[in-house]
Amino acid sequence: MSTGRQHSESRAIPTRTVLINDTTQLPHDYCTTPGGTLFSTTPGGTRIIYDRKFLLDRRNSPIAQTPPAHLPVIPGVTNRNILSENKKNEANNANNHDGKPAAGEDAQFEMDI
Amino acid sequence: MATSEPRAAETEEAPADSPVPAVVSAEQYVKHPLQNRWALWYFKNDKSKSWTENLRLIAKFDTVEDFWALYNHIQQPSKLGFGCDYCLFKDGIKPMWEDDRNKLGGRWLMTLSKQQRHNDLDRYWMETLLCLIGESFDDASDDVCGVVVNVRPKGDKISIWTSNCQNRDAIMTIGQQYKERLNLPVKVLIGYQSHDDTSSKSGSTTKNMYTV
């Protein structure tokens, strides 16, 4: 088509890494749908990074206490027995094995029972 | 419609000295978006079926809380049967070498001793998952395709799959930060192997392209 066209120089989209340790630090212009899962970043926007402690803290979220909807039944993987078994093990792990359990993890589990 | 309104019970359980208990409670129902949507797969070695028939999608998630809702309600790797795998991959990437996003790639491979099944496997697996969903490898996180745990009689394996075995910088970043995160002793080495080498190997060992 246009033979005398000038090609502009290309370069990578600049990105910036921002550590987020708390919800209050989420960018104010970040999008979520109510109760939903649609999010957007703009080019040159942020990478969503969560540190270990923040992720572990969220394990006790009320949302995380019920299995996902439409979880398939797979014998030995997702059946009912496993659910209660996991909770028992977690309590033990927090006490005995895991060197760095999330603070208050035990208390939260006891509250749920 | 289900909403995220906190129930009265939660509000009452908030500490008495909390200035705004209602707000604190509502906060508990917030979902935190992940950079990527992830798919968890389960593989069961049933010899009467083909490899792909044995591979089953368990669930997908794209928030921190939905990750835990899944994790809290599935079996730990140490309790799976021999020959079973879990695979967590970015949505759109199949947990197999043949996928376009995997075929030029390889994996950081950690082989565990039999004893480690009871001591370390579940702990390492959870740490690995947190590394992936939390995007712990900075920009090298873009090279991550997924992670696989193989439960095997001879010793279990955890491997982080990346997209291109020539991307030395990204691969080294991932390997070094992963090793640090798992708190592995300096003398314990983990190796990176290309899928090409792994699939075409003749003996029982595949050469390492990189080690940390």
Side-chain angles (χ1 to χ4, degrees):
Chain A
M1 295 264 287
S2 59
T3 48
R5 184 175 62 182
Q6 277 203 333
H7 289 274
S8 59
E9 205 180 311
S10 70
R11 61 190 179 93
I13 295 169
T15 56
R16 185 167 64 101
T17 300
V18 179
L19 266 176
I20 292 179
N21 297 309
D22 188 85
T23 47
T24 56
Q25 296 166 349
L26 274 173
H28 65 86
D29 53 355
Y30 215 76
C31 307
T32 66
T33 50
T37 50
L38 185 65
F39 314 98
S40 68
T41 54
T42 52
T46 50
R47 177 188 297 281
I48 311 170
I49 291 176
Y50 297 108
D51 69 10
R52 183 180 189 279
K53 183 182 179 303
F54 179 84
L55 290 171
L56 286 173
D57 283 348
R58 296 309 299 159
R59 186 173 191 175
N60 297 320
S61 156
I63 298 165
Q65 307 315 312
T66 46
H70 316 299
L71 186 68
V73 176
I74 305 176
V77 180
T78 62
N79 65 28
R80 278 277 149 197
N81 295 339
I82 290 165
L83 315 188
S84 50
E85 210 177 283
N86 272 0
K87 291 212 166 183
K88 267 185 258 162
N89 288 341
E90 282 319 314
N92 288 340
N93 277 342
N95 289 335
N96 303 330
H97 302 302
D98 194 353
K100 299 175 270 187
E105 202 167 44
D106 284 350
Q108 184 71 43
F109 274 107
E110 279 167 18
M111 262 167 54
D112 286 347
I113 290 167
Chain B
M1 187 183 146
T3 64
S4 297
E5 282 300 310
R7 283 167 290 134
E10 263 79 16
T11 312
E12 282 160 19
E13 277 165 14
D17 58 347
S18 175
V20 272
V23 175
V24 172
S25 271
E27 186 81 345
Q28 281 296 309
Y29 287 82
V30 170
K31 286 191 180 186
H32 295 81
L34 299 173
Q35 176 73 27
N36 283 288
R37 175 188 290 257
W38 299 87
L40 183 71
W41 303 76
Y42 171 67
F43 178 85
K44 186 184 181 189
N45 190 12
D46 180 343
K47 295 253 164 59
S48 68
K49 292 181 184 166
S50 72
W51 192 88
T52 42
E53 280 175 319
N54 282 328
L55 186 66
R56 187 161 178 190
L57 175 69
I58 303 177
K60 297 182 181 184
F61 58 85
D62 60 7
T63 70
V64 178
E65 289 72 16
D66 289 323
F67 160 73
W68 284 121
L70 177 59
Y71 183 90
N72 283 342
H73 298 97
I74 58 168
Q75 190 62 279
Q76 298 283 309
S78 65
K79 306 255 174 50
L80 293 179
F82 287 134
C84 293
D85 305 333
Y86 278 137
C87 312
L88 183 80
F89 276 74
K90 287 176 181 171
D91 190 21
I93 307 179
K94 290 214 180 72
M96 50 183 77
W97 297 333
E98 296 86 347
D99 191 282
D100 278 348
R101 306 263 301 270
N102 289 325
K103 63 184 180 190
L104 299 176
R107 59 177 180 170
W108 278 114
L109 174 64
M110 185 169 53
T111 308
L112 281 69
S113 69
K114 287 184 197 173
Q115 293 76 24
Q116 285 183 288
R117 176 166 306 136
H118 301 290
N119 300 331
D120 299 324
L121 179 64
D122 295 341
R123 188 165 60 87
Y124 283 170
W125 175 242
M126 190 183 81
E127 288 297 335
T128 312
L129 296 179
L130 298 186
C131 284
L132 264 63
I133 67 169
E135 306 279 321
S136 293
F137 309 121
D138 302 318
D139 286 347
S141 291
D142 289 337
D143 267 56
V144 172
C145 295
V147 60
V148 179
V149 58
N150 309 111
V151 180
R152 300 291 182 271
K154 286 181 182 170
D156 309 317
K157 290 181 273 191
I158 296 178
S159 47
I160 296 184
W161 289 31
T162 75
S163 58
N164 191 322
C165 64
Q166 303 303 328
N167 289 355
R168 186 192 171 87
D169 289 350
I171 290 167
M172 291 307 284
T173 301
I174 292 166
Q176 282 156 359
Q177 294 190 17
Y178 183 50
K179 193 173 168 180
E180 210 171 287
R181 184 75 173 257
L182 292 187
N183 222 350
L184 295 182
V186 178
K187 63 175 194 244
V188 172
L189 294 181
I190 56 173
Y192 184 95
Q193 303 154 358
S194 76
H195 295 318
D196 228 17
D197 287 343
T198 308
S199 57
S200 61
K201 72 178 174 185
S202 47
S204 61
T205 51
T206 306
K207 73 174 160 67
N208 289 329
M209 292 181 70
Y210 317 98
T211 50
V212 291

